[in-house]
Amino acid sequence: MHLSYPAQTTMIRVPCSSMIRPEWILLAFESGFDGVFVAADGTDCPYLRDCTDRTAKHIREAQELMSNKGIEPERVKMAAICSVCGEAFVRLVNDFYSRLIELGPIKVRTHGK
């Protein structure tokens, strides 16, 4: 399939989505990213039965950290997507990108402000 998503999208592959730490998501925003989309393994995860639940917990923790920094929690999105669902993945990424365009550039609150 020749599916396309925005060229500004950076893919970072990890063995299991549950290994993504909330602090890493916050670091992405502090490093200039305007959004983080986590495609969880869902029931396809070969490592953990509760991968999606663990990933969702990390996303909630990241959103709390983001709120504390003045970053809109909706700038991080998680979806459980099977490994062969390319069309669904591209649709979700494109929808998320459109929402980030609506939100505009990120404004990270600095210490003391």
Side-chain angles (χ1 to χ4, degrees):
M1 289 182 167
H2 295 283
L3 304 173
S4 61
Y5 47 82
Q8 298 86 338
T9 305
T10 300
M11 300 288 175
I12 301 172
R13 297 178 197 277
V14 294
C16 177
S17 60
S18 71
M19 73 176 287
I20 299 169
R21 300 293 171 247
E23 297 82 12
W24 299 353
I25 293 171
L26 188 61
L27 180 61
F29 292 111
E30 291 171 344
S31 299
F33 285 81
D34 286 321
V36 173
F37 179 86
V38 177
D41 301 334
T43 57
D44 289 348
C45 182
Y47 302 103
L48 299 167
R49 283 188 192 162
D50 63 342
C51 170
T52 303
D53 293 335
R54 290 183 190 210
T55 304
K57 179 179 181 270
H58 292 199
I59 296 301
R60 286 189 301 274
E61 291 169 357
Q63 288 174 323
E64 186 175 321
L65 291 172
M66 293 164 62
S67 289
N68 293 339
K69 292 276 190 176
I71 303 168
E72 300 99 331
E74 65 188 300
R75 289 184 179 273
V76 64
K77 180 176 179 62
M78 177 200 144
I81 302 175
C82 71
S83 59
V84 295
C85 298
E87 290 173 344
F89 172 76
V90 168
R91 184 177 56 253
L92 287 166
V93 168
N94 285 324
D95 290 347
F96 185 55
Y97 181 77
S98 294
R99 181 63 186 132
L100 292 175
I101 294 295
E102 291 172 7
L103 289 171
I106 193 166
K107 297 168 190 80
V108 178
R109 187 175 14 184
T110 59
H111 299 286
K113 292 187 178 180

